[in-house]
Amino acid sequence: MSIFEINHINMNLEGSTQKEIMESLADLAFNINIINDKSELVKDYLEREEESTTGFGNGVAIPHALSNNIKSATILFGRSSSDIEWDSLDGKPVNTFISLLVPDDQADEHLKLLAKLSRKLVHKDFVKILKNGSETEVFDAINNIVNN
Amino acid sequence: MTKIVAVTNCPAGIAHTYMVAEAIEEKAKSLGYEVHVETQGASGVENKLTPEQISEADYVILAIGKGLTDHDKERFNQKKVVELPVSEALKHIDTLFDDLEGNAHVLSASKVKLGSDQEKVTEGVMSYLMAGVSAALPFVIGGGLLIAIGSMMVQFGMPNTPLGKGTSPSIAWIITSIGNLGFQFMIPIMGAYIAYAISDKPAFAPAFLVTFLANDNELLGTKSGAGFLGAIVIGLSVGYFVKYFKKLKLGKNFQSVLGYMIIPFVTLLVFGLLTYFLLGPAMAWLMSVMLTFLQNIPTSMKVLGGFIVGAMLAFDMGGPINKTAWFFSFSLLSSHVFNWYGIVGVVTLLPPMAAAIATWIKPSIFSKQERAASWSAFLVGMTVATEPAIPYALAAPLPMITANTLAGGITGALTIFLNVERTAPGIGIFDPLIGLESPWYWFYLCVAVGLALNVLFIITFKSHWLKKQAAKEAKAA
């Protein structure tokens, strides 16, 4: 299975709080069969947020987790209809989510793909697509980075 | 062109490590800087910085989310470093480069460069002592010059009125008092920075306070503070104590307060009490034993006595051994015996002046900072105080103390043999001119011989010692 596919996207994540969004992302991950346990992923997300926020500004957050609960390295993408308080670096709420999931025995090549994607997140034109692009545009943009 | 190297890491090593690396690279390139960023992520270290890249870099940015290893810190020793949490780096990437110079501090880790030879690097205890030297030098320079100005003013006839009830102090007294603060705090600063070099911030406060206590004869109830040798002992022991203390695992709730609360509190309590109940009495006992010994030197062995007193005076420069010899000589003034105090007048000039002269004759065996401090050490040393020699001794205790002690001893013997007499404390090398020390010709002869020997010993011993250190290092590498 590829690290990112069209069914890893949910343009309408349900929830109005940080935890509810994480639960929706966990649902998505569970449905595509890359995690064993939903509540464990939410717990890992929350622990990471406690270290420091993953909301890096501009309404985008990258909740991520590194755990043996995760079966293979995966990227999830989602948008929420309402703005979510995420304690972001710029203080603004968040509506765009890109989640990186990594098993703790992950092979290097996948980590490199995620690193490549992370690097892209500081480029304004890329973030613009994530925020405003259609489902296909988002898919193409991410796919271009990780599947090429 | 401005050159920058950076290291990024973060808790999971998945996202921020790379986001910040990219952000730093993009920003630096847009400013026309040359940049290399090492990422320490979940898949290991990538783009590892080479020693050349590091040595050429003007600034080092450490955007850190999970701390740095000691090895990492060593790589950037003596570089201008801007250190900040990885999330802060991401947040402030647009302004991060605005004032690198202002935000950077020079990292002093556990390595040190000696002399002009930048390749020569020493690890371990010596580097911790060097951290103490760099911190203490400005204190002794600033303080020493103020004291020198104050004493000059008094010698040229201005009043030396201390602060008292109903009297306002004279300007000469005020300047001298401010200068004295430099000497007073030089010692605790040394202890604090030695400990800081070993185990970072948690060790700083306890080492500062305990060294202050150990050097304060009033608090301790002794006749002398522990001086710079006390600072070495306390700085090193607090430093290593905290280093192992930090490894303590206390569980999530207490771990966060370990560094700034538990360690400083426990360390201060333990070492404070140890200093008060062990070091203080031990010093008092040592001093009284030595004093009895000096008082029992038979008159027929005057030259040997002069050697011992001279050696003691030069040994720890303000510490208990020096103070004992000083007490012995000074107290004889009241019985109109002036020749022992004559030794004080000659020998206490030697260590700082000799250290300064040695830096001029053979600069390669001294650090840049030591060379820069030489003029002030020379001026202050020849007029009012031995303290400027302390940083030089701290930087290389064994050869410097040996050189000073040996030269002090020989000069002491010569001084008493020629019967040079000193009647009161004055302004060092000018004492004979104002009638405090006589005969003037023997005085200057003793100083000249003493300086020549002291400089010769310093250069010989320290060169040899550096060679041995280098050999030891080559063997270890």
Side-chain angles (χ1 to χ4, degrees):
Chain A
M1 188 173 60
S2 162
I3 190 168
F4 187 62
E5 292 181 16
I6 191 78
N7 64 352
H8 294 188
I9 299 180
N10 180 348
M11 296 302 266
N12 197 11
L13 285 175
E14 280 179 31
S16 55
T17 66
Q18 187 183 56
K19 193 162 182 220
E20 284 167 13
I21 292 293
M22 289 172 174
E23 282 161 356
S24 295
L25 285 169
D27 282 338
L28 175 58
F30 190 75
N31 292 339
I32 57 176
N33 192 28
I34 56 142
I35 55 169
N36 296 317
D37 184 279
K38 284 194 266 191
S39 63
E40 187 148 328
L41 176 59
V42 174
K43 203 182 105 215
D44 288 340
Y45 275 150
L46 285 169
E47 258 177 30
R48 175 59 188 82
E49 295 296 331
E50 252 175 47
E51 297 256 18
S52 68
T53 181
T54 64
F56 63 90
N58 278 323
V60 186
I62 36 163
H64 52 276
L66 177 84
S67 156
N68 60 5
N69 177 41
I70 296 161
K71 297 177 193 168
S72 69
T74 305
I75 298 163
L76 306 175
F77 181 87
R79 286 215 196 109
S80 61
S81 44
S82 56
D83 285 344
I84 313 295
E85 184 46 56
W86 209 273
D87 191 27
S88 291
L89 291 179
D90 62 357
K92 290 184 188 143
V94 172
N95 62 16
T96 304
F97 307 90
I98 181 157
S99 179
L100 311 181
L101 303 179
V102 185
D104 57 7
D105 57 349
Q106 186 51 53
D108 251 21
E109 50 183 314
H110 287 142
L111 289 170
K112 292 219 162 75
L113 291 178
L114 296 179
K116 221 165 127 193
L117 178 64
S118 297
R119 283 176 176 272
K120 271 302 213 185
L121 291 171
V122 299
H123 290 263
K124 295 209 166 67
D125 43 354
F126 181 71
V127 173
K128 211 181 219 171
I129 299 173
L130 295 184
K131 279 179 65 74
N132 306 317
S134 68
E135 185 165 355
T136 357
E137 283 168 342
V138 169
F139 177 75
D140 286 344
I142 298 177
N143 203 38
N144 267 338
I145 296 165
V146 296
N147 285 346
N148 282 327
Chain B
M1 184 165 73
T2 307
K3 293 185 179 177
I4 292 178
V5 295
V7 175
T8 63
N9 68 34
C10 65
I14 294 170
H16 286 86
T17 300
Y18 303 99
M19 291 174 72
V20 172
E22 183 80 1
I24 290 174
E25 282 171 12
E26 292 291 308
K27 185 72 190 172
K29 279 178 191 156
S30 77
L31 293 167
Y33 297 168
E34 185 183 321
V35 64
H36 301 280
V37 184
E38 172 179 315
T39 52
Q40 303 179 336
S43 61
V45 175
E46 287 167 88
N47 301 325
K48 188 168 174 65
L49 298 171
T50 65
E52 291 76 34
Q53 286 166 350
I54 294 172
S55 78
E56 283 172 7
D58 299 295
Y59 301 101
V60 179
I61 298 173
L62 303 177
I64 302 303
K66 58 166 192 187
L68 276 185
T69 63
D70 285 347
H71 170 70
D72 279 332
K73 286 185 183 162
E74 275 169 19
R75 289 194 292 164
F76 303 116
N77 185 43
Q78 300 302 322
K79 300 296 292 184
K80 289 180 186 166
V81 172
V82 179
E83 196 174 345
L84 74 174
V86 68
S87 55
E88 288 295 302
L90 196 55
K91 188 172 172 181
H92 298 297
I93 190 68
D94 282 322
T95 50
L96 181 60
F97 290 77
D98 289 354
D99 186 16
L100 285 174
E101 182 66 31
N103 291 325
H105 67 277
V106 174
L107 193 75
S108 64
S110 53
K111 280 197 171 188
V112 68
K113 293 171 176 59
L114 284 168
S116 50
D117 187 355
Q118 294 294 304
E119 293 304 307
K120 201 187 292 172
V121 165
T122 311
E123 275 190 66
V125 174
M126 281 321 303
S127 66
Y128 306 143
L129 298 188
M130 281 307 282
V133 174
S134 331
L137 266 173
F139 284 73
V140 76
I141 293 172
L145 289 175
L146 258 66
I147 294 174
I149 293 171
S151 323
M152 295 292 176
M153 290 167 85
V154 173
Q155 295 300 336
F156 286 105
M158 292 179 68
N160 185 22
T161 321
L163 181 64
K165 264 188 191 159
T167 57
S168 45
S170 66
I171 186 71
W173 182 86
I174 294 171
I175 290 177
T176 309
S177 303
I178 297 171
N180 274 325
L181 290 177
F183 283 2
Q184 189 186 353
F185 283 101
M186 166 182 72
I187 301 292
I189 279 291
M190 271 179 187
Y193 272 87
I194 291 171
Y196 180 80
I198 300 172
S199 51
D200 233 338
K201 271 186 205 131
F204 188 89
F208 183 93
L209 296 173
V210 174
T211 320
F212 188 96
L213 170 67
N215 199 45
D216 192 306
N217 48 346
E218 279 179 28
L219 277 174
L220 221 48
T222 52
K223 282 182 179 160
S224 161
F228 83 102
L229 292 177
I232 295 181
V233 171
I234 291 167
L236 289 177
S237 36
V238 168
Y240 283 113
F241 179 78
V242 172
K243 188 175 174 179
Y244 293 105
F245 203 158
K246 274 161 88 175
K247 295 192 174 142
L248 199 64
K249 292 274 171 283
L250 289 177
K252 237 176 181 177
N253 292 332
F254 290 104
Q255 203 69 34
S256 59
V257 296
L258 181 67
Y260 65 89
M261 227 180 79
I262 297 173
I263 290 180
F265 158 64
V266 174
T267 312
L268 179 60
L269 184 69
V270 170
F271 281 85
L273 291 177
L274 280 177
T275 300
Y276 196 88
F277 288 110
L278 283 180
L279 188 65
M283 258 179 355
W285 174 80
L286 180 72
M287 288 179 75
S288 77
V289 169
M290 288 189 301
L291 196 59
T292 316
F293 171 75
L294 289 180
Q295 282 159 346
N296 286 319
I297 294 174
T299 38
S300 57
M301 295 172 74
K302 214 164 67 172
V303 173
L304 179 67
F307 182 90
I308 293 169
V309 168
M312 285 172 71
L313 283 168
F315 181 76
D316 59 353
M317 297 169 281
I321 295 175
N322 159 290
K323 278 276 162 22
T324 308
W326 182 85
F327 272 124
F328 169 73
S329 312
F330 191 74
S331 57
L332 287 171
L333 291 184
S334 56
S335 359
H336 297 281
V337 175
F338 300 117
N339 52 354
W340 293 93
Y341 197 54
I343 300 178
V344 176
V346 174
V347 169
T348 51
L349 298 177
L350 303 180
M353 292 176 76
I357 296 170
T359 68
W360 301 333
I361 296 181
K362 203 161 164 68
S364 62
I365 58 172
F366 295 93
S367 71
K368 204 171 150 195
Q369 218 186 354
E370 285 176 294
R371 297 199 296 270
S374 63
W375 271 107
S376 126
F378 188 79
L379 287 176
V380 175
M382 74 183 208
T383 50
V384 285
T386 317
E387 272 84 347
I390 291 179
Y392 295 92
L394 185 60
L398 197 62
M400 293 300 282
I401 295 177
T402 312
N404 292 342
T405 306
L406 198 56
I410 297 173
T411 313
L414 180 68
T415 308
I416 204 144
F417 178 73
L418 296 171
N419 212 28
V420 176
E421 297 193 326
R422 191 193 200 199
T423 49
I427 43 172
I429 200 145
F430 303 116
D431 280 358
L433 305 180
I434 52 178
L436 293 177
E437 195 134 356
S438 61
W440 65 267
Y441 41 91
W442 290 143
F443 169 80
Y444 286 113
L445 176 81
C446 291
V447 172
V449 170
L451 279 180
L453 287 174
N454 207 340
V455 172
L456 177 74
F457 292 156
I458 288 176
I459 292 176
T460 315
F461 297 162
K462 193 171 176 187
S463 303
H464 179 70
W465 179 80
L466 283 174
K467 251 182 234 149
K468 258 173 67 181
Q469 296 282 111
K472 213 191 279 170
E473 201 169 285
K475 215 174 163 189

